[in-house]
Amino acid sequence: MTARSPGCTLNETVPPTSNRSSLDDVIDAYKSGIDVTLIDENLRRSVDERLRYLQRLLEFAEELRRAGRELATKR
Amino acid sequence: MTDFAALIRRLSDARIEFILIGGVAATVHGSVRLTRDVDVVYARHPDNIRRICDALGAVHPYLRGASKGLPFHLDVPTMITGLNFTLVTDEGDLDLLGEMTGGGTYEQLLPGAVRVELYGRPCYCLSVDQLIAAKRAAGRPRDIDALAELEVIRDRQTASDSGAD
């Protein structure tokens, strides 16, 4: 005979208490790091303005990347 | 560098049936994350495929990241044989998807998509809920940050719609 803890059997399944998955907990952890002021600022823009802002952001990123490459070749 | 306006106008002016997905769609809804390409799901019927080939021919589409000199031509037989194409063009990077992981085809996505005007052109774009569902279904670790941002956007839009701060 095998001793078992009361109320615990090998085939026992824990009934789900919610539909949340571990992914939800990970996403929630990431949410705490999001700067919502940037999102709110963007939500105040029109859709066209949001895309124009994205274009400017991309141009800025490309310029930084170009400068980085230039710096690397000078080293 | 991708010229978002030029690519979107080109697709729209050619009367191509497409839905914006990915980073540009997220930007439409308020995302502040940087994206470098235009991703679309396109309708796979022959007329639409012909319109895509005609519209993109002028900007020299080529497989992104592939070696130079391959005998690749974005023509009707190529598009019928293939499904998803990650392209570089003279106007920037463009991903043409016949089917999207976690979303499906153009016809499956269209009922839930939203109609927006971009650069003076009417376009369809995935809804926030569709973007979230697609990213959850894809289950890629690199999407977690974007997924979190989209859920924050959805929560703020819901709060705004219900009149709360």
Side-chain angles (χ1 to χ4, degrees):
Chain A
M1 188 186 297
T2 308
R4 289 182 182 153
S5 306
C8 179
T9 66
L10 290 176
N11 295 322
E12 186 178 63
T13 55
V14 178
T17 53
S18 77
N19 291 326
R20 283 181 64 85
S21 69
S22 60
L23 181 60
D24 291 298
D25 295 331
V26 175
I27 292 167
D28 282 349
Y30 271 75
K31 281 181 186 175
S32 64
I34 290 175
D35 185 346
V36 291
T37 62
L38 291 175
I39 291 174
D40 286 343
E41 191 181 328
N42 214 23
L43 288 173
R44 281 193 289 273
R45 297 184 175 110
S46 70
V47 170
D48 254 12
E49 287 169 344
R50 290 173 201 168
L51 284 180
R52 290 180 207 285
Y53 176 74
L54 172 65
Q55 187 73 57
R56 289 199 302 274
L57 207 59
L58 183 59
E59 287 167 7
F60 180 54
E62 293 291 336
E63 175 60 14
L64 293 178
R65 200 167 287 122
R66 186 204 58 74
R69 281 196 302 267
E70 194 175 288
L71 193 63
T73 58
K74 286 178 181 171
R75 280 179 187 151
Chain B
M1 182 174 57
T2 299
D3 184 337
F4 298 109
L7 274 176
I8 289 169
R9 283 179 182 139
R10 178 173 296 282
L11 297 175
S12 184
D13 289 351
R15 295 183 300 110
I16 291 165
E17 292 167 48
F18 69 96
I19 303 171
L20 287 163
I21 64 171
V24 170
T27 299
V28 164
H29 292 295
S31 167
V32 292
R33 294 169 62 82
L34 181 64
T35 188
R36 291 180 176 79
D37 59 4
V38 175
D39 303 325
V40 304
V41 169
Y42 66 96
R44 290 276 298 166
H45 62 79
D47 282 349
N48 202 47
I49 286 177
R50 194 170 303 112
R51 285 195 285 263
I52 291 171
C53 295
D54 290 347
L56 294 181
V59 290
H60 310 105
Y62 194 70
L63 295 171
R64 194 157 74 239
S67 310
K68 286 182 183 175
L70 293 176
F72 174 80
H73 301 286
L74 190 73
D75 52 20
V76 173
T78 300
M79 286 202 68
I80 287 174
T81 309
L83 181 67
N84 297 338
F85 300 88
T86 54
L87 303 171
V88 58
T89 75
D90 296 346
E91 291 174 341
D93 294 347
L94 173 67
D95 290 0
L96 295 173
L97 306 185
E99 196 169 330
M100 177 189 174
T101 305
T105 63
Y106 175 86
E107 288 77 12
Q108 289 168 326
L109 289 165
L110 189 61
V114 293
R115 197 165 184 268
V116 291
E117 188 163 300
L118 299 176
Y119 306 112
R121 271 71 167 175
C123 298
Y124 283 100
C125 174
L126 285 193
S127 68
V128 176
D129 286 338
Q130 284 178 311
L131 284 167
I132 290 170
K135 288 208 177 289
R136 278 181 172 269
R140 295 176 299 203
R142 68 186 171 98
D143 282 340
I144 300 273
D145 201 17
L147 192 46
E149 189 201 34
L150 285 167
E151 292 200 0
V152 167
I153 288 169
R154 182 188 59 190
D155 293 347
R156 294 185 96 70
Q157 287 178 342
T158 304
S160 172
D161 291 347
S162 63
D165 282 337

